[in-house]
Amino acid sequence: MEIETDIANGLPCLLLVGLPDTALREARDRIRAAIINSHEQWPQRRVTVGLSPASLPKRGSGFDVGIALSILAAAGAIPGAAIDGVAFLGELGLDGRLRPVRGVLPAMAAAASAGFAKVVVAQANAAEAALVPGLQVAGAPTLTALLAWLRGEPVTGDEAVAYPVPEPPGAPAQAGQPGQPAQPGQPGQSGRSPGPSREPARAGKLALAGEPALAVARGPGGEALALAPLGRARRPRPRPDLSEVLGQPAARRAAEICAAGGHHLSLLGPPGAGKTMLAERIPTVMPALDRTAALEVTSIHSVAGTLPAGSPLMTEPPFCAPHHTATKAAIVGGGTGIIHPGAASLAHRGCLFLDEAPEFAGDVLDALRQPLESGEVMIARSGLIARFPARFMLVLAANPCPCAKGTATGVACSCTPTARRRYLARLSGPLLDRVDVKVELLPVGRAELLSDRHFAESSPVVAARVAAARERTAARLKDTPWRLNAEIPGSELRRAFPPSPGSLTPIERAMDLGQISARGVDRVIRVAWTLADIAGIARPTVNETSYALGLWLGTGVLGAGT
């Protein structure tokens, strides 16, 4: 997007054209106050700011910095060459501070694709913007510091940036050293009238709400190396471990299979059997995100405004567990005006856990059917279509009946057969047809808890097997656009990756009996390939396909609900 400014004779006013929304219209007052409080002269003439392309609606407060600099360049306060070819993104406070905005990473990626090599963002967004390769990123704390940097004035004070800063366009190097990164800071002797400082006090440290202050350790070039606590740090929370799920070896094995191949999982069992506990520990056995996946996940969370503080790049698989009262827009995305990604996209390359799945609204659950197949969410509005990636691992957890005693030993179920069928039927057949692995968890007794302590494997042990299986999958899919077995289309699965001869006999028998659909056949073969990768064999045999078929069919209780 391009910002143009015209200053002409007329009554003093500021006009914004180019379909700005309400937040952008209010930028007129923010920008004027920020410029005046930064000790700059506001042009007492008619100022018209054009946002191009004019036919595209503009939303948000990220245009504040660009508009302010465009006005000052048109007024002659800064050289026009200093902002030519530089992308600016940030919100202005009334005192001239640059505030962080959402969606910096995808915006900077778009700027790089458009040919921009230099960008300026708020200092809090500098680490996120620097994730885009090939960009020179400047993180400015205030408008005053940014203007001093653009003018090439000597920088004083203890202002610091999070990443190396490019040289100002057309300005000499600071401190007489060619190529030395410039740092936004307090203006030097610029000839402007002195006045009381309106900038917030900053001393190269970051303070988080409820957390001790963090000091930034920097390298010789000013790059951020580490964050060290200035005060007493909180004791880290213990990391969940798969070995804590005792008495459920079959469920732990199913979680390992799904983590290795990216398959969807359904857990059926009474309360206290370990369904939620198991689901929360699935991310601990999943490998860390590679660079491409990490940038995808970080971009989604940046747009949604859920990027963790102090973590510009998300490297761990996300885990999203929405409440069963969540709406369709909260799960798949939506909203009025600005479309936001939902839980399905926030769980991209990670795990989406729906606890008490039958309690979710039926239309909410069925809305997941299309993302489960395509790996993306497409939201259409009048004149606008938004696409969000949604390649997640779905985990459903459900009780066997409303009273949750349907499988409890020695406890009679108080639900009628009709109530049980109606309860499980809330999980529609088309949805369960897309679930690759279905497992029933039985109540755990004292004997099982004591004996399983010696056999339950820890998360690092299981994660090593999962990583080895994914490496075998990646080697087989090296020249394809897919990463996991669950992503391979059915046509390619049958053409390029057929199992061993005779291994499909159990699946063919199940099809003859009407126990499995054509879609289910493809999903069973995908799980069989994952079992082969875990076992380290070249192709699935009849043992892998039989095991995969049993996992897809699940239990008789769950089948009754389909």
Side-chain angles (χ1 to χ4, degrees), residues 31 134 170 179 205 254 267-268 320 348 355 362 380 446 487 505 551:
I31 293 170
K205 63 183 179 181
L267 303 173
L268 182 73
C320 190
H348 179 61
D355 200 4
R446 187 174 69 91
E487 301 176 5
T505 302
L551 291 174

Side-chain angles (χ1 to χ4, degrees), residues 168-179:
Q174 295 284 335
Q177 300 180 10

Side-chain angles (χ1 to χ4, degrees), residues 33-58:
I35 290 178
I36 294 176
N37 290 331
S38 298
H39 315 300
E40 299 291 337
Q41 294 295 324
W42 179 262
Q44 299 298 323
R45 302 166 67 187
R46 180 184 178 90
V47 180
T48 304
V49 177
L51 308 176
S52 178
S55 59
L56 183 66
K58 318 298 186 306

Side-chain angles (χ1 to χ4, degrees), residues 5 16 42-43 56 101 111 119 131 136 141 146 333 373 397 442 448 500 509 531 545:
T5 298
L16 289 178
W42 179 262
L56 183 66
V101 295
V119 297
L131 296 174
Q136 293 179 292
L146 177 57
E373 290 290 336
L442 299 177
E448 289 87 350
S500 302
R509 188 182 306 115
L531 292 171
T545 54

Side-chain angles (χ1 to χ4, degrees), residues 301 318-320 342-352 391-393:
H301 284 259
F319 179 81
C320 190
S345 297
L346 295 177
H348 179 61
R349 301 298 179 187
C351 181
L352 176 62
R391 183 72 67 179
F392 55 87
M393 172 183 166

Side-chain angles (χ1 to χ4, degrees), residues 325-359:
T325 58
T327 63
K328 187 188 301 184
I331 297 297
V332 299
T336 58
I338 301 178
I339 299 179
H340 295 284
S345 297
L346 295 177
H348 179 61
R349 301 298 179 187
C351 181
L352 176 62
F353 177 47
L354 301 185
D355 200 4
E356 305 295 342
E359 301 296 337

Side-chain angles (χ1 to χ4, degrees), residues 121-197:
V121 296
Q123 199 167 43
N125 290 137
E128 181 183 347
L131 296 174
V132 180
L135 280 183
Q136 293 179 292
V137 179
T142 63
L143 182 61
T144 301
L146 177 57
L147 294 176
W149 175 69
L150 291 172
R151 291 174 174 135
E153 298 173 351
V155 179
T156 60
D158 195 23
E159 296 287 347
V161 295
Y163 280 80
V165 187
E167 288 294 329
Q174 295 284 335
Q177 300 180 10
Q180 178 182 353
Q183 293 183 342
Q186 298 287 346
Q189 301 298 327
S190 59
R192 287 170 290 168
S193 59
S197 175

